[in-house]
Amino acid sequence: MVAKDDSGTPVSVPELELSTHHEMRNFVTAIRRSKIRKEAQVKLQRDYDAFIPKEDFALLNEHRCVVTFEKND
């Protein structure tokens, strides 16, 4: 992300100043949550790309899910 002024020109942003232990802990926790979300998105995309119909139909059957369209072999 880039900060911009009213005319759309990129501007520098001052460093974040953490002045209490509580602020530091909250910021570090937010960084960790962001990292976990990004890792999960990568994993989910890999799983999506690796879709294998026969294996995935079996997975659906284990979760009481019925597929109503025709399964192609």
Side-chain angles (χ1 to χ4, degrees):
M1 293 175 60
V2 175
K4 296 185 178 186
D5 64 14
D6 292 338
S7 64
T9 305
V11 294
S12 63
V13 177
E15 291 181 335
L16 178 63
E17 182 179 331
L18 304 172
S19 56
T20 68
H21 182 267
H22 181 71
E23 288 176 346
M24 182 182 144
R25 184 177 56 204
N26 285 347
F27 191 64
V28 168
T29 301
I31 292 168
R32 288 180 180 150
R33 277 195 314 268
S34 177
K35 182 180 176 187
I36 290 168
R37 270 194 310 275
K38 287 176 186 176
E39 290 169 352
Q41 287 174 335
V42 168
K43 183 183 181 322
L44 288 171
Q45 185 63 52
R46 265 188 261 136
D47 290 348
Y48 181 83
D49 293 341
F51 178 73
I52 302 170
K54 288 184 180 182
E55 292 177 18
D56 291 326
F57 280 121
L59 180 64
L60 292 175
N61 290 335
E62 294 172 10
H63 287 86
R64 298 176 40 98
C65 179
V66 177
V67 177
T68 58
F69 63 88
E70 287 190 34
K71 301 175 188 176
N72 296 329
D73 290 338

